[in-house]
Amino acid sequence: MTVPMNFKWLFKICTACLVLLSQSTAQDAPSRASEGRAEDIPEGASTLAFVFDVTGSMYDDLVQVIEGASKILETSLSRPKKPLHNFALVPFHDPEVGPVTITTDPKKFQYELRELYVQGGGDCPEMSIAAIKIALEISLPGSFIYVFTDARSKDYRLTHDVLQLIQQKQSQVVFVLTGDCGDRSHVGYKVYEEIASTSSGQVFHLDKKQVNEVLKWVKEAVQASKVHLLSTDHGSQAINIWKIPFDPSLKEVTVSLSGPAPSIEIRDPTGKLIKKGSGLNELLHITNSARVVNVKDPEPGLWTIKTTSGGRHSVRVTGLSAIDFRAGFARKPTMNFKKIGNRPVQGIPTYLLLNTTGLIPPARVDQVELLGISGITLKTIPLKYYPDRKPYSILNVTEFIPPDEAFFLKITGYDTEGYLFQRVSGVSYSNIVPGPPKVVMPAQTPGYYLQTGFIICNVDSLIPFTLRFSRAGTKLGTDQFFKESATAHLEIPQVSAVHEGFYECIAVSSAGTGRAQTFLDVSEPPPTIQVPNNVTVIPGERAILTCLTLSTVRYNLTWQKNGADRRLAERHRVQVMRNLSLEIKNVRPSDAGQYNCIAANEGGATLASVFLIVQGKLYS
């Protein structure tokens, strides 16, 4: 469409209909930097981030987003438990992203949204993935990120980085698309579906006039204590029936279906169909694109959800509850969340660490399931019940080999009243595919005649590897096997001139080979120093400080106090004797302290310390 020249003036008129919210004293922070100190951020608080395409064709979308943002903020900030701590706005336009806004002030956020300047157009693919990456980087964990665009991505090669950030931040990305460049088979579009699937988000296709309808749903979706009960994606038309236990802690349950010809049926534990006007609330219904329904205060028990779609579609079931969990992966059993990773390593035995919330004895988790993207169970791991476990909320799950495909984690158990509950991770997990070992050695390694020498080799590897040392193509010693990253050394009992030269360290794993080399530089060893004793004198006496030095070659000895040579200032009183001891005549109280003797030869330098203690005079 053609954008009118005076659209900035039109935006000013639109501001009259906005509900401006309570002021915050926080100021806008620099681009790409989160606002506020960590201790000021409430536990569980999130970021609301809008990633907006500012090409000219997005003018109508922007007008609706401006109006909808006011309602979203008004609703979320009026809730007793406020889910949002700050707000982010990341505009993008090929080839630029930004300027980025991150603020705790809702009025500032709305102001920057109204000031967006839509421009240009014509080149359909846009830099959307880079903008999503920035939004994830500046947002708090567990945030809500909404992407508004009418184009597929041009920078889809950044998708891997975005997926890693999603698994790290546990945030949700939802796409509101009013266009796709006419090709949904293109990789630039498919990455949207991959990002949405990984983050339990969705891709909504709609006409430009329907953006406001999605924003009405966003107003309800941005809530604290949000938990996931089901997250599936399907590549073709299907009818699915899901049996899901609703426990008493669930205050409401929302079912979202995005895809062509969407249909949702919900039946309570007695089999009764829940209809509009009798318990079912319709939050969003876009013909041939999406449907979202909601049930408040559902009766505890086993509910049935039937979803139908005429093509590729996704299903999300969420609720509001205090019962939830977060997870991490480790190579060894641990109860420390600082020692876990966000992703497992492909093909390696992995331990799962779960941190549950909202469960007190006798409530318990009975099993963990690994679910495929379509909801199929890939692996089931039963858990033993230990009522005296401390802390009770943390469970270390026995080792397993992670599946090669992406998977969700699902926990099931019983609450304190004996009701069955289930929760699903907010993101899907993909394996880290290990690369060849990374081998690091210093460019040069010192070696000293007739002393024991060590060739050091550091190897960084996610999987087991075999390590060997070699020189001029000849293997030295025996191969060493390591299960993970390690530091190894080759010992040379008595170094001599024949040992000087290049040494290579080679690490071989199933993922490839890494190697590095170092040059062993053989020289005389640095001097050795022995300090017979510290010295105590009274003012006016002479003090002699001694360092006994041994060296196989000529060496030089210097004396310092506080980093300076005292002889330069007082040569008449402080001097070095023939045996290299330091003589101080007519000692003063200011002479007291630490003196360093430094012996140096071609092999290096050695430092030792002698303390001079000056006591007060004794009078009879």
Side-chain angles (χ1 to χ4, degrees):
M1 65 169 285
T2 302
V3 183
M5 293 298 292
N6 61 346
F7 63 85
K8 290 281 279 185
W9 174 76
L10 290 175
F11 285 170
K12 297 295 183 182
I13 296 231
C14 287
T15 64
C17 64
L18 293 174
V19 180
L20 297 180
L21 304 174
S22 57
Q23 285 232 7
S24 168
T25 56
Q27 299 298 315
D28 182 38
S31 171
R32 303 190 64 170
S34 261
E35 213 178 38
R37 297 173 301 174
E39 60 266 30
D40 297 332
I41 301 173
E43 184 177 356
S46 303
T47 302
L48 174 65
F50 282 2
V51 179
F52 201 91
D53 181 350
V54 289
T55 51
S57 57
M58 290 292 291
Y59 175 78
D60 291 338
D61 307 58
L62 179 58
V63 172
Q64 294 177 75
V65 171
I66 290 172
E67 295 174 351
S70 176
K71 298 181 177 67
I72 293 169
L73 298 177
E74 182 180 15
T75 300
S76 63
L77 296 175
S78 66
R79 291 191 172 108
K81 189 173 183 180
K82 295 176 174 56
L84 301 176
H85 173 72
N86 58 5
F87 313 91
L89 179 61
V90 185
F92 64 93
H93 177 280
D94 186 26
E96 299 175 350
V97 177
V100 176
T101 299
I102 179 77
T103 179
T104 57
D105 186 350
K107 292 181 66 176
K108 171 70 173 175
F109 175 66
Q110 291 180 96
Y111 171 80
E112 294 296 338
L113 192 58
R114 294 194 305 273
E115 290 297 305
L116 285 181
Y117 183 89
V118 291
Q119 56 185 315
D123 183 19
C124 191
E126 299 290 346
M127 305 295 285
S128 50
I129 306 301
I132 296 169
K133 181 174 180 287
I134 291 174
L136 285 163
E137 288 171 341
I138 65 176
S139 296
L140 296 169
S143 291
F144 306 92
I145 298 172
Y146 294 90
V147 183
F148 300 88
T149 184
D150 60 1
R152 66 172 182 257
S153 66
K154 175 180 286 188
D155 52 351
Y156 49 82
R157 290 178 180 82
L158 293 174
T159 301
H160 177 71
D161 296 337
V162 167
L163 297 180
Q164 284 187 308
L165 279 168
I166 287 170
Q167 291 174 90
Q168 174 188 339
K169 290 292 191 76
Q170 304 278 303
S171 292
Q172 184 184 64
V173 184
V174 173
F175 293 85
V176 181
L177 301 183
T178 53
D180 51 31
C181 301
D183 185 3
R184 296 188 187 178
S185 64
H186 193 281
V187 64
Y189 168 79
K190 286 187 173 181
V191 296
Y192 290 166
E193 294 184 328
E194 187 177 7
I195 290 170
S197 174
T198 300
S199 67
S200 291
Q202 285 175 290
V203 178
F204 292 114
H205 293 276
L206 53 153
D207 296 333
K208 288 187 175 293
K209 294 181 180 179
Q210 296 171 321
V211 172
N212 197 44
E213 295 300 310
V214 174
L215 292 170
K216 290 178 183 177
W217 164 69
V218 173
K219 181 179 68 173
E220 300 299 324
V222 178
Q223 295 199 53
S225 304
K226 194 171 187 177
V227 299
H228 297 264
L229 307 178
L230 180 73
S231 186
T232 65
D233 291 89
H234 308 271
S236 60
Q237 66 178 33
I239 299 174
N240 287 300
I241 297 177
W242 313 99
K243 298 283 188 179
I244 300 178
F246 289 7
D247 60 273
S249 74
L250 287 167
K251 302 308 177 187
E252 63 178 71
V253 174
T254 301
V255 182
S256 307
L257 171 60
S258 64
S263 174
I264 300 172
E265 290 184 8
I266 301 179
R267 296 182 183 271
D268 69 12
T270 67
K272 177 185 174 182
L273 180 65
I274 308 299
K275 300 180 180 179
K276 287 177 63 176
S278 61
L280 187 73
N281 307 303
E282 189 169 76
L283 303 180
L284 176 67
H285 192 185
I286 299 176
T287 306
N288 209 39
S289 176
R291 190 167 187 227
V292 182
V293 296
N294 177 287
V295 177
K296 294 187 182 295
D297 298 315
E299 176 188 348
L302 194 63
W303 286 62
T304 303
I305 298 175
K306 179 181 177 182
T307 60
T308 306
S309 179
R312 193 160 61 213
H313 62 286
S314 62
V315 180
R316 309 286 185 253
V317 181
T318 61
L320 297 181
S321 169
I323 297 177
D324 201 6
F325 75 99
R326 66 185 181 100
F329 304 92
R331 301 279 296 277
K332 300 176 182 178
T334 180
M335 298 293 280
N336 186 349
F337 265 83
K338 294 181 180 179
K339 295 184 178 181
I340 62 171
N342 300 307
R343 303 167 63 199
V345 179
Q346 186 181 63
I348 295 298
T350 300
Y351 288 86
L352 178 65
L353 190 63
L354 299 176
N355 189 5
T356 61
T357 57
L359 295 181
I360 58 174
R364 67 189 187 276
V365 178
D366 270 1
Q367 69 176 22
V368 177
E369 293 177 70
L370 278 59
L371 305 179
I373 299 303
S374 64
I376 297 174
T377 299
L378 305 174
K379 187 183 293 289
T380 300
I381 307 172
L383 300 180
K384 292 183 179 180
Y385 176 51
Y386 296 103
D388 298 327
R389 183 181 66 249
K390 293 182 181 180
Y392 185 75
S393 62
I394 298 181
L395 298 91
N396 191 287
V397 182
T398 185
E399 68 178 5
F400 64 94
I401 302 294
D404 289 339
E405 62 187 273
F407 62 91
F408 287 91
L409 291 172
K410 172 186 170 183
I411 65 169
T412 53
Y414 293 89
D415 68 8
T416 53
E417 301 176 44
Y419 283 100
L420 183 66
F421 71 85
Q422 78 175 44
R423 298 291 185 267
V424 174
S425 58
V427 301
S428 67
Y429 299 96
S430 59
N431 293 327
I432 299 173
V433 179
K438 295 180 180 178
V439 183
V440 177
M441 302 178 81
Q444 186 170 297
T445 298
Y448 303 116
Y449 284 111
L450 304 181
Q451 293 189 9
T452 302
F454 294 95
I455 307 294
I456 306 297
C457 177
N458 294 294
V459 181
D460 184 13
S461 178
L462 292 170
I463 57 177
F465 63 92
T466 300
L467 180 145
R468 69 171 60 100
F469 289 95
S470 68
R471 184 183 181 193
T474 301
K475 187 173 75 170
L476 303 174
T478 59
D479 290 352
Q480 302 176 60
F481 178 78
F482 297 93
K483 290 185 177 181
E484 56 189 10
S485 300
T487 297
H489 68 268
L490 173 69
E491 182 177 333
I492 302 174
Q494 279 194 322
V495 173
S496 65
V498 299
H499 294 112
E500 188 168 82
F502 285 98
Y503 290 76
E504 187 173 37
C505 176
I506 305 167
V508 181
S509 75
S510 59
T513 300
R515 60 182 71 222
Q517 68 175 8
T518 185
F519 182 81
L520 179 65
D521 183 21
V522 179
S523 64
E524 295 292 338
T528 60
I529 299 176
Q530 291 183 338
V531 177
N533 54 266
N534 294 321
V535 177
T536 302
V537 297
I538 61 175
E541 289 188 344
R542 183 179 71 153
I544 297 178
L545 312 183
T546 301
C547 284
L548 300 178
T549 305
L550 297 175
S551 177
T552 56
V553 293
R554 292 170 63 97
Y555 69 94
N556 180 49
L557 186 85
T558 57
W559 287 89
Q560 291 184 353
K561 182 186 181 193
N562 297 327
D565 189 338
R566 285 286 301 278
R567 296 176 305 165
L568 298 179
E570 298 183 273
R571 290 186 179 276
H572 65 287
R573 199 172 63 87
V574 181
Q575 60 185 357
V576 175
M577 304 172 67
R578 286 191 174 184
N579 66 355
L580 301 183
S581 294
L582 183 69
E583 179 187 32
I584 305 174
K585 300 175 182 177
N586 191 23
V587 170
R588 304 166 183 168
S590 60
D591 293 326
Q594 178 180 322
Y595 290 77
N596 294 326
C597 58
I598 303 165
N601 64 14
E602 64 182 49
T606 306
L607 180 147
S609 297
V610 183
F611 288 86
L612 174 61
I613 302 166
V614 181
Q615 294 182 336
K617 285 187 176 182
L618 297 177
Y619 297 93
S620 56

